[in-house]
Structure formats: C-alpha cells, structure tokens
Amino acid sequence: MLKELFPNVNMEDLWTATEETLYMTLISVAGTLILGIILGLLLFLTDRGNLWQNRFINFVTATVVNVFRAIPFIILILLLFPFTDFLIGTIRGWKAALPALIIGAAPFYARLVEIGLKEVDKGVIEAAKSMGAKPHTIIFKVLLPESMPALISGITVTAISLIGYTAMAGIIGAGGLGGDLAYMKGFLRRDFDVVLICTIFVIAIVFVFQLIGDLLSKAVDKR
C-alpha cells in the first residue's frame, strides 16, 4: 500500500534520513539547553537590581546574544566553517551541522530563559536572601525550579525550530529529511511523493516533541 502511494520512496533512505534528523535535533537540543540556560542566567543575574548586577557583563552578553540571533541560519553555517572544521574535523555530514545548530539556537533560547526567570516572584527570591541563602543556592533552589515550566516550554519551541534548521543544514551535506531526502532526492528529481512523505515525517516529529514538552511542562507546573 505504501509503495503504491509513494512509488519513488526508498524506505532505507527514509529511515536513515529520519535517524539523522533525530540525532541532529536531540544533540543540538541538549547543547542549546545547556548554553542557553548559561546565557539566560547571565542576562538575568547581571541585570540591574539582580544578584550579580554588572552593566559591562550584561552589555557584552546581550550584544553576543543579539548578534547571533540576527544572523540568518544559512549564513551562520557558512561563517562557522573554520570553527566547525577545527572542532569536528570536517564540514560535511550531520555531525558538522551541530555547532551551527547549537550556536544558532542557544541565543534564541537564552532570551526565553531570561523571560522565564523574570517571571519568578521577587518575594520568593527576597525570602531566600533573608534566610541567608547564597547566590548558587538561590539559582539552583529557587530561580531554576520556579521557572521550570517556562524553561521547558521554551526548549520545546526551540526544539521545533531546530527541526526546521536541520533542513537548511543540507547545504553542508548534513543529511536528514529536509536538506538531503526532500530536496536533493525528491524535489530536484521531481519525485514529489518523496517530498510529501518527508513532510509527513517532519510533522510527526514536531507533534511528538510538542506533546512531550507539554506533558513535561504540566508535570512540573505547581500552579
């Protein structure tokens, strides 16, 4: 039945492309989560009136975040070729796409982290301070736990954006459902059934990520 609906689809290629998309997305989400939280904390904590108030560090961090958010992803891939080659040892394949994916998404997520942290009740922070809590205790016992639903919602949105980025990563032969299978082996060969099945698989992956994100967000939301 599937062969009749999608006569030009090679199932082995489809599963390989799906695995590559999942690998790129999952690893880059993990990297984005770590780097984004670090940048988001710096943006929040060094802002006026917060624990590590420092105008210079806040300005530098905000500038870095804003600059990398402003660079189109396709251009960022090209700009990072020397760094990618140094770090990964190649500029081809799905592994070579990871630096650009993480560096491209982390600044976006950092702003979502900052917004989530700003929503934490100031009274809770002041109460922790009054009890003699140290900065690292406030960060890990108050700020991050209290903002966890927002952080999870933010990384869910970012993960879905990363799935789209993986398609553009096809420019460096990263493989995956978008850049390799849908475009190279589908669109360019005018095999539009290949494009359609790739679209269906990408939508399915997005739905799964969104479902997992929603469930996790509800599970940690104490309100």
Side-chain angles (χ1 to χ4, degrees), residues 81-90:
F81 269 178
F83 176 70
T84 300
D85 190 34
F86 169 76
L87 190 66
I88 306 297
T90 180

Side-chain angles (χ1 to χ4, degrees), residues 72-184:
F73 181 70
I74 197 73
I75 297 176
L76 183 63
I77 292 176
L78 303 177
L79 289 174
L80 289 177
F81 269 178
F83 176 70
T84 300
D85 190 34
F86 169 76
L87 190 66
I88 306 297
T90 180
I91 59 172
R92 305 286 297 178
W94 68 266
K95 290 181 181 179
L98 295 176
L101 288 168
I102 294 169
I103 293 173
F108 171 75
Y109 182 55
R111 285 298 185 185
L112 297 180
V113 171
E114 182 189 19
I115 292 169
L117 293 171
K118 285 181 176 179
E119 292 176 353
V120 176
D121 188 349
K122 295 287 186 182
V124 178
I125 300 173
E126 291 303 321
K129 285 182 182 178
S130 67
M131 289 187 290
K134 295 180 179 179
H136 71 271
T137 302
I138 294 174
I139 292 169
F140 291 105
K141 299 292 186 180
V142 179
L143 287 173
L144 292 179
E146 289 292 324
S147 62
M148 193 57 66
L151 299 185
I152 292 174
S153 296
I155 198 62
T156 302
V157 171
T158 307
I160 291 170
S161 297
L162 279 166
I163 295 169
Y165 286 172
T166 62
M168 287 185 277
I171 190 174
I172 57 172
L177 289 165
D180 184 47
L181 195 60
Y183 181 70
M184 300 295 292

Side-chain angles (χ1 to χ4, degrees), residues 61-72 76 107:
T61 306
T63 300
V64 170
V65 166
N66 291 338
V67 166
F68 279 96
R69 282 181 66 202
I71 301 174
L76 183 63

Side-chain angles (χ1 to χ4, degrees), residues 6-118:
F6 305 100
N8 298 301
V9 174
N10 183 304
M11 292 306 298
E12 185 177 346
D13 287 347
L14 180 62
W15 292 121
T16 299
T18 302
E19 288 176 0
E20 289 170 344
T21 294
L22 288 173
Y23 285 145
M24 284 189 283
T25 303
L26 291 171
I27 297 173
S28 58
V29 164
T32 297
L33 182 67
I34 296 168
L35 184 56
I37 286 177
I38 292 171
L39 290 172
L41 281 170
L42 272 177
L43 286 169
F44 176 77
L45 294 171
T46 59
D47 200 5
R48 185 173 57 186
N50 288 329
L51 293 175
W52 297 339
Q53 179 177 324
N54 187 306
R55 292 180 62 184
F56 177 73
I57 294 178
N58 186 265
F59 173 77
V60 171
T61 306
T63 300
V64 170
V65 166
N66 291 338
V67 166
F68 279 96
R69 282 181 66 202
I71 301 174
F73 181 70
I74 197 73
I75 297 176
L76 183 63
I77 292 176
L78 303 177
L79 289 174
L80 289 177
F81 269 178
F83 176 70
T84 300
D85 190 34
F86 169 76
L87 190 66
I88 306 297
T90 180
I91 59 172
R92 305 286 297 178
W94 68 266
K95 290 181 181 179
L98 295 176
L101 288 168
I102 294 169
I103 293 173
F108 171 75
Y109 182 55
R111 285 298 185 185
L112 297 180
V113 171
E114 182 189 19
I115 292 169
L117 293 171
K118 285 181 176 179

